[in-house]
Amino acid sequence: MASSDVARQLDKGARPLSLAGHVGFDSLPDQLVNKSISQGFCFNILCIGETGIGKSTLMDTLFNTNFENFESSHFEPQVKLRAQTYDLQESNVRLRLTVVNTVGFGDQMNKQESYQPVVDYIDKQFETYLQEELKIKRSLHNYHDSRVHACLYFISPSGHSLKSLDLVTMKKLDSKVNIIPVIAKADTISKSELHKFKIKIMSELVSNGVQIYQFPLDDETVAKVNTTMNGHLPFAVVGSTEEVCVGNKMVKARQYPWGVVQVENEHHCDFVKLREMLICVNMEDLREQTHTRHYELYRRCKLEEMGFKDTDPECKPVSLQQTYEVKRQEFLAELQKREDEMRQVFVQRVKEKEAELKEAERQLQGRFEQLKSRHAEEKAALEEKKRLLDNDLTSFGNRKTAAALLQPPGFTVNGKKDKDRKNSGFM
Amino acid sequence: MHGSKDGEKSHGGDFSYVGIDAILEQMRRKAMKQGFELNLMVVGQSGLGKSTLMNTLFKSKVSRNKSVQSNPEERIPKTVEIKSISHDIEEKGVRMKLTVIDTPGFGDQINNENCWQPIMKFINDQYEAYLQEEININRKKRIPDSRVHCCIYFIPPTGHCLRPLDVEFMRRLSKVVNIVPVIAKADTLTLEERDSFKQTIREELRANGIDVYPQKEFDEDAEDRMINDKIREMIPFAVVGSDQEYQVNGKRLLGRKTKWGTIEVENIAHCEFAYLRDLLIRTHMQNIKDITGSIHYETYRVRRLNESNGHPGALQANGVAAQHEALSHEM
C-alpha cells in the first residue's frame, strides 16, 4: 500500500507516523473476524427462472445439501415467491442462508405483470430494514438481514437469444439487486453453440442497458481471477445431486446413454466457476454492494419521495427536523380540517333530524286533538241517549205505579212478572 | 447453533467442500483495505505523564512534548481545551488512523467545578455529528467515525483514595463513554501501597456506582465474563510511561533510569503497562469500538430522538420512523 493510498483512503488531515517498534494493532483484523464468527453470517439468494428450469437442483448442488423442495405445478395463476431459511455450518463459520424461489414464473398466458411480485418482495425487504434503521430504539447489530444479496437469473437454453420476458425482468431488477445471469441446463447446448449464445446474451444485455453484477476488480488479490470470470459470464451450469461412478470416484453427474455430464468438471460446465465466484471469492462484496449501493438508492428515493431533502431551494442545508415539522403541521392541519368538516356535517344532520321529528310530533298532536274531539262528541251523544233512556225509564216507572194504583185491591201481585207486564201492557 | 440442515463439511479439495468459510478471508481483506479508526481521549491533570504514556503505547511521537522552557503561565490554559491530533500508522499491512484527544487544563484551575463540561460537550458533539450524517438522505459510503472510543483517566498516585474531582468526572462520563482508569507515575508507590490503593479505588468506584470498562453488563457469555473478570481484578492499571531506551542486561528496553535502579516499562513485575497495552490494543480494541457504537451511541441517539419529540425547536431529526409510517399510510 503506497503512502499516497494511505493519505487518500484515511484522511487528508492526518500526518503519517512511523512506529519504532511492534505495537500490536495488527491483530485488529483478527479481532474483527473473531467477532463476526461469533455473530454468524447472513446470505440471501433469489432465484428467478421458469418452472422446471433447475433452480432448486442448482441450489442443492451449490450448497451440497438437500433443501427439500417439492416440485411446483405449472398452473399457478400468478407469480409467487417462496422463501426458506436454513442454517449451515462449515468448519467454524455459521451461515444463515435464505433461498427465495419464484413459483410460477413464465407460466401464465399474460406475463406482463410477472416481474411485479419479485420487485415487491425486494422492496419489502429494503423497507423492513429502513424501518428498523429509523426506529428510535433499534437493534441493528442483532438484526436478521433479509435483503436480497444476489439474484441468480436462469436463462433457458434455447441457444438463440434472450426472451423478452427475461429482458424486461432484468431491466426492472438491475438497480435493486446484484443480478448474476446463468444459463440453465447447459448440457443441452453444444460447445460452439454455447459460445455464440453467451456472446449474443451479453450483447443484448449491453444494448438494452441492463447492468448485471460485475465482479469487483479493485482488490489486487482477486482482481485477476475476477477479470477472467467477468469474461465467462453468463455461467453455463448443470446441477445434479445424484452421484455416478466415473473411473474409481463417485462424482456428482447426470447419466445419459451417450455419456456422463460431470457437474464439477470445468470442461463440461461452469458450475465450479459459479461456486467459486458466488461463495468463495465475492460473497462479502455482494453483501457490501447490496448495502452501500442498492439499499442506499432505495433509501434515498423513499425519503425524497416523502418530501425530505438535504438542502432547500436556496442550497442551505435543511435539517430533517424542519422538514418533519413542516410535514407534521400540514398533517395536523389536514386532520383538523377533516374534523371540522365532519363536525359540520354532523350538526347539519342533527338539525334535519330534529326538524323531522318536530314535524312528526306536530302531526301526532293534531291527530290526538282530532280524536279527542271526536271522542268528546261521541260521549256527548251517548250522554244524550242515556238521558233519553233515563227519561223513558222514569216515565215507564211512573206509568207502572199509576197502573198499580188503578188495579182493584186484593189482586196480589205475585212473581209472575211476565203475565203482569203483559196485563199492564194492555192497560 | 446447528440448524436442521446441518452440513458439516471438511476442508480440502474433495467434492463436499462448499467454501462458506472463505468469507472470513474476504472480510479480512476488505477490513485491511478500508483501514481502521481509533479515537482515544486522555484526561488528567497536567504533569501526570499523559503524553509520555501515549508515546509509549504507540511507540512513536504521538504527542508533541510541551517544551519545558515555555512560560508557565502560557502552559496552563484558563479553561479546559480539547486538542485533537490525528495520525496514520501502519503495521504489517494494517492501517489505522489514530486520533489522540488531549484535554489540557483539566483539573488545573483553582476552581474546578464543571471542568468536565467541555469534555462532555465534545463527546456529545462527536455523537451528534455521526447522527447527522447517518440521517442524511445522501450519505457517504462510509460515515467518518470521530466518536470517542475510549477515555483514559489518569489518577494521581496519592496512595490514599479518589479525589472528589475524580469521582465526579468518572461518574458522569462512564455513562457516555468507555473509561479506563490508570494510576499515573506508579513508580512512586511500592507494591503494597499500590495494591491497597487499587483496592480502595475499586471499592470507591463500586460505592459510587461507576462502571468502568469492561462493563459487567455488557459481557456476552461466560467466556467473556471470565476474561473480563480477570481484567476487572486488576483495574486500575498502575502504569509508568517512558520513551527513552536504556541498556538492561544487554538488551535495550524502554524504561526510566534512577539512581536506585531502572524501571522497565514493559516488565510486568515492575508496572502494569503491558496489561494496559494488551487490553487497549491487542485484545479488546474491536470490543471497545463495538460498545461505543452499539451501546453508547445508541443511548445518545434514543435520548436525542425522544427529546426533540417534546421540543419541536431543537435542531435534529425526530421519530422519523413514526412519521415515515404515518405518511406512507397517507400516500
Side-chain angles (χ1 to χ4, degrees):
Chain A
M1 318 253 173
S3 55
S4 56
D5 271 21
V6 171
R8 187 168 27 95
Q9 298 267 14
L10 294 183
D11 189 28
K12 293 166 188 77
R15 55 187 174 123
L17 200 63
S18 50
L19 302 172
H22 176 66
V23 177
F25 61 87
D26 55 343
S27 65
L28 257 183
D30 290 326
Q31 294 179 30
L32 187 61
V33 164
N34 283 338
K35 185 171 93 78
S36 305
I37 291 182
S38 61
Q39 263 188 341
F41 294 89
C42 237
F43 195 59
N44 308 317
I45 305 184
L46 168 66
C47 294
I48 308 183
E50 294 170 357
T51 318
I53 207 171
K55 306 185 283 290
S56 316
T57 315
L58 187 68
M59 284 294 115
D60 285 350
T61 324
L62 255 180
F63 290 100
N64 226 346
T65 56
N66 184 1
F67 285 134
E68 274 172 22
N69 282 308
F70 43 88
E71 289 176 11
S72 349
S73 90
H74 282 262
F75 293 98
E76 300 281 345
Q78 261 187 326
V79 175
K80 287 199 304 249
L81 284 107
R82 191 172 57 212
Q84 281 157 313
T85 311
Y86 308 94
D87 283 326
L88 304 174
Q89 174 151 355
E90 188 169 68
S91 52
N92 58 346
V93 176
R94 284 172 299 126
L95 181 72
R96 177 159 274 191
L97 177 74
T98 305
V99 178
V100 188
N101 274 321
T102 52
V103 174
F105 190 78
D107 278 336
Q108 293 81 28
M109 302 277 280
N110 181 359
K111 294 182 254 212
Q112 269 181 333
E113 294 299 307
S114 291
Y115 67 84
Q116 196 60 46
V118 183
V119 170
D120 288 342
Y121 177 82
I122 296 176
D123 278 344
K124 192 160 76 108
Q125 308 314 310
F126 283 149
E127 182 66 31
T128 339
Y129 191 86
L130 183 64
Q131 287 290 335
E132 182 66 30
E133 198 187 22
L134 293 177
K135 267 197 209 165
I136 294 189
K137 268 210 167 78
R138 58 189 190 179
S139 54
L140 272 182
H141 300 266
N142 300 336
Y143 181 71
H144 169 55
D145 191 1
S146 59
R147 300 174 290 183
V148 177
H149 299 124
C151 170
L152 288 178
Y153 195 93
F154 288 72
I155 302 172
S156 26
S158 59
H160 301 303
S161 63
L162 284 175
K163 301 204 188 116
S164 46
L165 173 65
D166 295 338
L167 276 171
V168 163
T169 314
M170 281 204 265
K171 193 88 182 73
K172 290 272 175 209
L173 293 176
D174 67 354
S175 58
K176 290 193 184 286
V177 75
N178 302 314
I179 300 186
I180 302 176
V182 295
I183 302 174
K185 299 199 173 178
D187 50 352
T188 51
I189 319 183
S190 73
K191 241 192 156 56
S192 50
E193 280 175 359
L194 187 63
H195 189 62
K196 273 192 282 186
F197 190 31
K198 283 193 185 182
I199 296 179
K200 189 85 196 340
I201 292 179
M202 291 309 278
S203 66
E204 278 197 348
L205 288 176
V206 165
S207 58
N208 280 290
V210 175
Q211 296 195 331
I212 57 172
Y213 176 71
Q214 295 291 324
F215 302 118
L217 304 172
D218 47 1
D219 189 348
E220 300 87 27
T221 16
V222 293
K224 217 160 65 103
V225 168
N226 280 344
T227 333
T228 7
M229 291 302 174
N230 274 331
H232 279 121
L233 280 174
F235 294 125
V237 294
V238 174
S240 168
T241 42
E242 286 160 2
E243 288 173 14
V244 172
C245 193
V246 169
N248 51 357
K249 279 198 303 172
M250 295 295 282
V251 293
K252 284 192 283 229
R254 285 176 68 75
Q255 175 132 52
Y256 293 108
W258 48 88
V260 175
V261 178
Q262 292 162 37
V263 167
E264 277 165 336
N265 186 335
E266 295 219 34
H267 296 295
H268 290 196
C269 73
D270 295 332
F271 173 79
V272 175
K273 295 196 184 73
L274 174 69
R275 184 176 63 194
E276 201 179 310
M277 282 294 104
L278 187 63
I279 302 175
C280 304
V281 179
N282 294 311
M283 185 151 54
E284 186 61 26
D285 186 67
L286 283 165
R287 285 164 20 128
E288 193 181 317
Q289 290 287 341
T290 309
H291 181 67
T292 54
R293 192 141 57 98
H294 301 295
Y295 169 71
E296 283 296 314
L297 182 66
Y298 175 83
R299 178 180 176 272
R300 199 181 317 145
C301 293
K302 204 69 205 290
L303 291 179
E304 275 176 3
E305 197 182 283
M306 295 204 310
F308 292 105
K309 291 191 293 289
D310 277 339
T311 60
D312 67 5
E314 292 103 49
C315 283
K316 283 195 307 240
V318 170
S319 81
L320 213 56
Q321 167 64 20
Q322 291 173 5
T323 330
Y324 170 70
E325 269 314 299
V326 165
K327 286 212 164 297
R328 189 156 153 242
Q329 296 305 325
E330 279 176 19
F331 185 62
L332 287 176
E334 176 83 25
L335 274 182
Q336 191 66 25
K337 201 164 65 115
R338 283 214 200 141
E339 201 182 320
D340 288 339
E341 266 177 52
M342 281 187 72
R343 189 170 288 138
Q344 270 188 344
V345 167
F346 178 70
V347 165
Q348 183 81 2
R349 289 245 185 99
V350 165
K351 277 208 190 109
E352 280 176 27
K353 198 74 180 172
E354 263 184 25
E356 262 179 58
L357 285 173
K358 271 214 175 73
E359 180 66 33
E361 198 184 329
R362 208 170 44 80
Q363 282 186 354
L364 276 175
Q365 192 76 11
R367 277 189 54 197
F368 176 65
E369 295 290 317
Q370 235 184 13
L371 279 174
K372 200 163 131 186
S373 59
R374 197 150 41 114
H375 176 246
E377 279 174 19
E378 284 186 11
K379 191 164 166 194
L382 277 173
E383 293 277 312
E384 186 62 37
K385 278 202 189 152
K386 187 173 168 205
R387 201 175 47 80
L388 287 174
L389 270 176
D390 277 340
N391 284 346
D392 276 345
L393 206 59
T394 39
S395 62
F396 172 68
N398 287 341
R399 278 199 287 186
K400 190 171 154 196
T401 41
L405 279 172
L406 286 173
Q407 282 284 337
F411 200 84
T412 47
V413 184
N414 47 6
K416 298 230 165 67
K417 288 207 177 111
D418 291 61
K419 234 181 169 181
D420 273 347
R421 242 200 256 140
K422 267 194 209 155
N423 284 342
S424 55
F426 273 136
M427 298 233 141
Chain B
M1 195 173 80
H2 293 251
S4 52
K5 306 273 174 272
D6 188 5
E8 276 282 355
K9 318 277 180 281
S10 59
H11 227 288
D14 60 311
F15 63 47
S16 58
Y17 173 64
V18 178
I20 298 175
D21 53 357
I23 196 172
L24 298 180
E25 190 52 41
Q26 298 170 30
M27 180 174 247
R28 183 192 303 262
R29 265 202 327 263
K30 273 208 188 286
M32 305 241 316
K33 205 157 80 82
Q34 271 180 348
F36 297 88
E37 285 172 317
L38 183 69
N39 305 321
L40 281 179
M41 179 184 262
V42 283
V43 181
Q45 282 180 295
S46 58
L48 280 182
K50 305 188 289 287
S51 313
T52 316
L53 187 70
M54 282 294 111
N55 291 347
T56 324
L57 259 179
F58 291 100
K59 293 215 167 62
S60 51
K61 291 253 181 283
V62 171
S63 325
R64 270 169 260 175
N65 279 331
K66 304 190 182 81
S67 65
V68 194
Q69 288 98 359
S70 73
N71 211 338
E73 273 122 30
E74 277 175 19
R75 253 197 302 145
I76 298 180
K78 293 279 188 302
T79 54
V80 181
E81 290 173 358
I82 313 272
K83 285 209 182 108
S84 157
I85 310 175
S86 300
H87 306 272
D88 285 339
I89 45 184
E90 187 193 324
E91 190 175 62
K92 295 213 180 108
V94 177
R95 287 170 306 125
M96 187 158 85
K97 177 174 172 225
L98 172 72
T99 307
V100 175
I101 302 152
D102 201 356
T103 53
F106 178 81
D108 285 337
Q109 282 86 42
I110 296 179
N111 182 356
N112 284 312
E113 277 179 10
N114 299 332
C115 65
W116 52 79
Q117 264 174 9
I119 298 175
M120 283 278 274
K121 182 170 175 316
F122 179 81
I123 293 176
N124 284 332
D125 283 346
Q126 307 313 306
Y127 287 147
E128 183 68 28
Y130 194 88
L131 180 66
Q132 286 299 331
E133 183 58 39
E134 197 186 32
I135 62 179
N136 252 348
I137 310 285
N138 278 317
R139 45 190 197 187
K140 304 201 183 92
K141 205 165 174 170
R142 215 179 141 219
I143 306 177
D145 190 359
S146 61
R147 303 173 289 192
V148 178
H149 297 128
C150 182
C151 172
I152 307 181
Y153 187 76
F154 286 73
I155 301 173
T158 57
H160 298 161
C161 59
L162 288 175
R163 301 167 301 158
L165 174 63
D166 301 332
V167 172
E168 265 310 299
F169 180 87
M170 282 202 273
R171 197 162 55 87
R172 283 160 197 275
L173 258 75
S174 58
K175 299 193 178 70
V176 295
V177 75
N178 297 318
I179 294 193
V180 175
V182 294
I183 302 175
K185 298 199 166 173
D187 47 342
T188 54
L189 298 169
T190 64
L191 287 180
E192 293 86 19
E193 286 168 359
R194 182 202 293 177
D195 282 337
S196 72
F197 189 29
K198 281 209 223 180
Q199 187 91 343
T200 323
I201 293 180
R202 277 201 292 271
E203 275 165 19
E204 285 204 13
L205 289 179
R206 234 195 320 267
N208 282 291
I210 302 174
D211 219 359
V212 298
Y213 184 81
Q215 291 94 337
K216 251 206 165 80
E217 44 181 339
F218 304 143
D219 284 340
E220 280 176 27
D221 50 31
E223 200 187 307
D224 264 356
R225 208 169 303 132
M226 219 171 56
I227 299 175
N228 288 344
D229 274 341
K230 282 212 207 84
I231 297 173
R232 282 189 275 263
E233 287 301 302
M234 289 201 282
I235 283 181
F237 296 111
V239 294
V240 174
S242 165
D243 43 10
Q244 290 187 316
E245 287 184 347
Y246 293 100
Q247 195 87 355
V248 175
N249 292 341
K251 284 189 291 186
R252 288 198 67 77
L253 292 173
L254 285 173
R256 282 175 68 76
K257 190 163 178 170
T258 61
K259 290 221 167 63
W260 46 90
T262 309
I263 305 159
E264 294 160 41
V265 165
E266 290 190 353
N267 187 340
I268 50 175
H270 291 193
C271 77
E272 293 174 340
F273 170 80
Y275 291 127
L276 175 70
R277 180 201 55 208
D278 285 346
L279 177 77
L280 273 186
I281 300 177
R282 293 191 188 168
T283 54
H284 282 71
M285 192 190 269
Q286 187 61 37
N287 186 242
I288 288 175
K289 287 169 60 164
D290 286 339
I291 292 190
T292 310
S294 59
I295 295 172
H296 292 300
Y297 170 69
E298 290 292 320
T299 316
Y300 176 81
R301 183 175 174 273
V302 169
R303 195 161 45 89
R304 282 298 265 178
L305 294 185
N306 275 331
E307 232 175 59
S308 56
N309 267 332
H311 301 295
L315 183 73
Q316 73 219 218
N318 233 318
V320 186
Q323 176 65 346
H324 182 88
E325 268 186 53
L327 285 185
S328 53
H329 286 320
E330 280 283 289
M331 293 179 180

